[in-house]
Amino acid sequence: MTTVTPAELTAPLGRPATPAAELTRSRFSKGRTAKYALLIFFTLLVLIPVYVLIVTSFKGLGDATPARAWNLPQVWTTENWSAAWTSLSPSLWRTFQMVIPAAIISSFLGSMNGFVLARWRFRGADIVFTLILFGMFIPYQAVMIPLLQLILGAGIPSGVPSLIILHVIYGLPITTLIFRNYYMSIPEELVEASRVDGAGMLRTYWSVVLPISIPSFVVVLIWQFTSAWNDFLFAVFFSSSQNGPVTLALNNLANGALLTNYGISMAGALLASLPTLLVYILLGKYFIGGLMSGSVKG
Amino acid sequence: MPRQIRKWGPPLLLISPTLILLGVFVYGLLAVNANTSMQDIHNSSQANGKAPVSFVGLENYISLFGSDEFQHSLKNLVLYTVVFLAGTMFFGFVWAWLLDRPVRFEGVFRSIYLFPMAVSFVASGVVWRWLLNSNQGENASGLNRLFQMIGLPFLQNNWWNNVNVGIAAIAIPAIWQLSGYVMALFLAGFRGIPEELREASQIDGASNWQMYRHVIFPQLSPVALSAVIIVGHMSLKAFDLIMSISKPANYQTKVPAIDMYVFKSSFDYSNAAAVGAILLVIVAVLIIPYLVHLNRTEKHS
């Protein structure tokens, strides 16, 4: 029984109202108060960095002294935000140019692989799948040196073009995994019916499977968007601050000068996080879907 | 023959781009990397092919494991992993447990606990560098200042500037970011337990705690295993946070992934490749048994 009745909602472990139950109920309500107190305590704990980010990003230079570190701004100013925008906007634009094609291409490839691996049973299919999966766990440090030589040797320009290729290729294992798990769950009859109608595999994939894959596409696109947007490792090795994504530009902004201007860095950190946070807020359900279906992945 | 093509052709057509790409970019490059790690490329002219390169076998590995510097990195990696794992498992489990039964505003709590995962390590590094500022007393800001304000000044410390255990401080932001993920895993585990089991244990007269202790928790061990593997393998690759909070050159916060970057920056490709290969072996020891185990359980079900 997975549905929750209204009674259960109000009294999670409700029992018949006997005197003994009264006793336990009062104990539970004490327990409930403690539970909410804990939940709120943890919420505040998690939100500490958010408070700091927002408050500091609106402080003027003279306002950011240690003594007033945790205070609200004396005067709320947006100069940090405009400075951060000036410094980060080119890289923000480049990140969009990198992330959108990378997410779309790796999703389509992942969907094709997932369909084949879920529906086409051949000897060794499990081994092939495991070999693909292992690709998402490898530390990229273990391929980085030859990868640099390969990409440079092939004459692929550093920055956005290289990074699109890398995010597509190393995104394949996770996209394949999510789609395979999804296609394993669709009813066999659907695919069978199409085969009986005389459609081949490609046709079945195109006209039967793809149209019902939209929820999975949303999950995978969000997952790929977020991980490519937040990537720093490939950015460091395959781009520079002139042609790289926003994580690299933000790191240079925050760590470049001898004396960090925390107001500007924190406004920059918020700016760089807005796209993924917006996705999380608007499409949180699918974001969590990605986490769960890819629960083999970190 | 045409029948064979009809049977094998379409699926092969769909899957071959991936097989080729991963074959080259994962397995091919791993092999090339292993080869590079056994050469003596230690400067830019060798790295650019302008000076001769020779095969040196395991020499780079032997000198790496023999150096205090690299031993320190490995020690840091272990400490970071232990703190990171302990923290995420603790918070993730407690949060999921608190949200297991219907709670008002459950969605709000869950979303707040999980949101740091949507933020990049680099962005969170910006704020955590401020929070983990090592200044104390008059000049304290960040968490040290907060400790003074709430009357716990003795908690002030050097954070990541402590030479011996500084790396543990870098695990704090990592815990902040990933605990929500572990919570989501555990929550799915809690929700996957059939309601009948809870009811049965109540009919048997078990107390709430006894029900959790003897009925619910044992069912969660596969979830706990997944969480340990996922978080553990992430922690072995720790790089972004250290780069954004500390500096690659800082002794107290270096780990193998940072060493690899430093070697690469000085065109010491062979040592960079060797460090990469060592990381691969550590991750493989953790992951391969897990993947085999997953494969088996899937077959059983």
Side-chain angles (χ1 to χ4, degrees), chain A residues 85-106:
Chain A
W85 173 253
T86 313
S87 142
L88 295 184
S89 57
S91 65
L92 276 168
W93 172 233
R94 283 196 295 270
T95 316
F96 277 111
Q97 287 176 308
M98 166 189 93
V99 163
I100 292 169
I104 293 174
I105 299 168
S106 62

Side-chain angles (χ1 to χ4, degrees), chain A residues 20-224:
Chain A
E22 281 306 313
L23 252 176
T24 47
R25 179 168 297 165
S26 73
R27 194 163 60 88
F28 279 133
S29 83
K30 217 183 254 168
R32 282 182 55 143
T33 316
K35 191 184 206 175
Y36 281 102
L38 276 174
L39 284 168
I40 291 167
F41 169 74
F42 287 126
T43 303
L44 294 177
L45 209 60
V46 171
L47 290 179
I48 286 176
V50 180
Y51 170 80
V52 170
L53 274 169
I54 294 174
V55 165
T56 314
S57 76
F58 285 106
K59 277 184 181 175
L61 253 185
D63 206 358
T65 58
R68 298 188 44 83
W70 290 86
N71 297 17
L72 290 172
Q74 283 170 315
V75 182
W76 292 73
T77 159
T78 53
E79 60 195 43
N80 294 324
W81 283 82
S82 48
W85 173 253
T86 313
S87 142
L88 295 184
S89 57
S91 65
L92 276 168
W93 172 233
R94 283 196 295 270
T95 316
F96 277 111
Q97 287 176 308
M98 166 189 93
V99 163
I100 292 169
I104 293 174
I105 299 168
S106 62
S107 300
F108 266 99
L109 288 171
S111 151
M112 298 190 321
N113 302 330
F115 177 62
V116 171
L117 290 169
R119 289 291 143 187
W120 185 52
R121 305 306 300 168
F122 57 96
R123 253 158 43 107
D126 288 334
I127 295 175
V128 169
F129 181 58
T130 308
L131 285 174
I132 292 177
L133 271 195
F134 185 63
M136 77 190 182
F137 289 105
I138 60 158
Y140 299 130
Q141 283 83 5
V143 291
M144 202 61 91
I145 295 292
L147 188 59
L148 268 170
Q149 292 168 327
L150 183 67
I151 297 283
L152 289 179
I156 299 163
S158 94
V160 174
S162 295
L163 291 171
I164 291 177
I165 293 174
L166 297 175
H167 286 305
V168 166
I169 293 172
Y170 293 105
L172 285 173
I174 182 73
T175 58
T176 302
L177 170 73
I178 297 177
F179 276 110
R180 173 186 174 267
N181 288 352
Y182 175 69
Y183 293 142
M184 298 273 262
S185 73
I186 62 173
E188 189 84 44
E189 294 78 34
L190 217 60
V191 180
E192 265 320 297
S194 155
R195 190 180 297 170
V196 171
D197 289 347
M201 188 169 210
L202 295 179
R203 187 156 184 93
T204 307
Y205 171 71
W206 185 255
S207 52
V208 178
V209 174
L210 261 191
I212 59 164
S213 307
I214 291 165
S216 284
F217 266 99
V218 178
V219 167
V220 171
L221 284 170
I222 288 174
W223 183 265
Q224 286 301 94

Side-chain angles (χ1 to χ4, degrees), chain A residues 1-2 4 8-9 12-13 15 28 32 35-36 38-40 42-43 45-50 52-53 56 66-67 69-70 109 112-113 115-117 120 122 126-151 165-166 169-170 172-173 176 180-181 184 200-202 205 223 226 230-233 236-237 247 250-251 254-255 260 262 265-266 269 273 276-277 280 287-288 291-292 294-298, chain B residues 6-8 10-15 17-19 21-22 24-27 29-30 32-33 36 47 91 94-95 97-99 101-104 109-123 126-131 138-143 145-146 149 176 181 184-185 188 195-196 199 202 206 208 226 229-230 233-234 237 239-240 243-246 257 260-261 264 269 272-273 276-277 279-280 283-284 287-288 290-291 294-295 298-299:
Chain A
M1 197 181 83
T2 45
V4 176
E8 278 176 77
L9 264 173
L13 293 164
R15 287 179 185 185
F28 279 133
R32 282 182 55 143
K35 191 184 206 175
Y36 281 102
L38 276 174
L39 284 168
I40 291 167
F42 287 126
T43 303
L45 209 60
V46 171
L47 290 179
I48 286 176
V50 180
V52 170
L53 274 169
T56 314
W70 290 86
L109 288 171
M112 298 190 321
N113 302 330
F115 177 62
V116 171
L117 290 169
W120 185 52
F122 57 96
D126 288 334
I127 295 175
V128 169
F129 181 58
T130 308
L131 285 174
I132 292 177
L133 271 195
F134 185 63
M136 77 190 182
F137 289 105
I138 60 158
Y140 299 130
Q141 283 83 5
V143 291
M144 202 61 91
I145 295 292
L147 188 59
L148 268 170
Q149 292 168 327
L150 183 67
I151 297 283
I165 293 174
L166 297 175
I169 293 172
Y170 293 105
L172 285 173
T176 302
R180 173 186 174 267
N181 288 352
M184 298 273 262
M201 188 169 210
L202 295 179
Y205 171 71
W223 183 265
T226 313
N230 289 341
D231 165 71
F232 181 66
L233 183 65
V236 165
F237 282 92
T247 44
L250 174 64
N251 195 51
N255 289 344
T260 308
Y262 274 111
S265 317
M266 295 208 194
S273 311
T276 49
L277 281 179
Y280 175 72
F287 183 82
I288 295 169
L291 287 184
M292 291 298 107
S295 70
V296 192
K297 151 90 177 177
Chain B
R6 240 185 93 73
K7 191 175 162 228
W8 287 80
L12 264 181
L13 190 71
L14 287 177
I15 204 173
T18 296
L19 293 184
L21 286 173
L22 291 182
V24 171
F25 281 84
V26 174
Y27 296 96
L29 293 186
L30 285 177
V32 177
N33 186 73
T36 306
F91 286 109
V94 169
W95 294 347
W97 191 12
L98 286 171
L99 294 174
R101 296 276 80 190
V103 162
R104 217 173 286 225
F109 289 123
R110 216 180 36 205
S111 306
I112 289 174
Y113 296 159
L114 192 59
F115 98 89
M117 193 168 176
V119 178
S120 66
F121 282 120
V122 177
V126 171
V127 62
W128 280 97
R129 191 149 71 106
W130 184 92
L131 285 166
E138 282 284 288
N139 292 323
S141 61
L143 289 180
R145 169 71 61 172
L146 188 67
M149 287 162 61
W176 177 71
Y181 182 46
L185 290 174
E195 199 65 22
E196 289 82 11
E199 282 164 12
Q202 273 163 34
N208 201 15
S226 298
I229 299 281
I230 292 164
H233 109 279
M234 290 186 73
K237 302 177 188 171
F239 177 75
D240 304 14
M243 288 286 281
S244 84
I245 294 179
S246 179
M260 189 267 161
Y261 173 74
K264 180 260 157 192
Y269 279 11
L279 273 179
L280 176 74
V283 171
I287 292 297
I288 290 176
Y290 177 66
L291 287 181
L294 277 188
N295 220 328
E298 196 170 76
K299 263 186 201 143

Side-chain angles (χ1 to χ4, degrees), chain B residues 38-67:
Chain B
M38 290 188 277
Q39 293 175 328
D40 65 344
I41 307 174
H42 299 305
N43 58 53
S44 67
S45 49
Q46 283 177 306
N48 295 324
K50 287 178 191 132
V53 169
S54 50
F55 183 83
V56 296
L58 296 177
E59 204 174 89
N60 295 319
Y61 293 93
I62 293 166
S63 75
L64 271 175
F65 282 117
S67 77

Side-chain angles (χ1 to χ4, degrees), chain B residues 134-204:
Chain B
S134 62
N135 287 343
Q136 296 177 23
E138 282 284 288
N139 292 323
S141 61
L143 289 180
N144 283 349
R145 169 71 61 172
L146 188 67
F147 288 148
Q148 292 178 17
M149 287 162 61
I150 59 174
L152 301 167
F154 54 88
L155 284 178
Q156 295 184 85
N157 67 78
N158 281 339
W159 300 113
W160 55 271
N161 278 318
N162 181 308
V163 179
N164 292 315
V165 294
I167 191 73
I170 307 270
I172 299 172
I175 293 167
W176 177 71
Q177 287 203 259
L178 268 303
S179 291
Y181 182 46
V182 176
M183 171 199 73
L185 290 174
F186 272 120
L187 210 47
F190 274 117
R191 302 273 152 92
I193 296 169
E195 199 65 22
E196 289 82 11
L197 273 179
R198 296 172 189 262
E199 282 164 12
S201 81
Q202 273 163 34
I203 291 166
D204 289 348

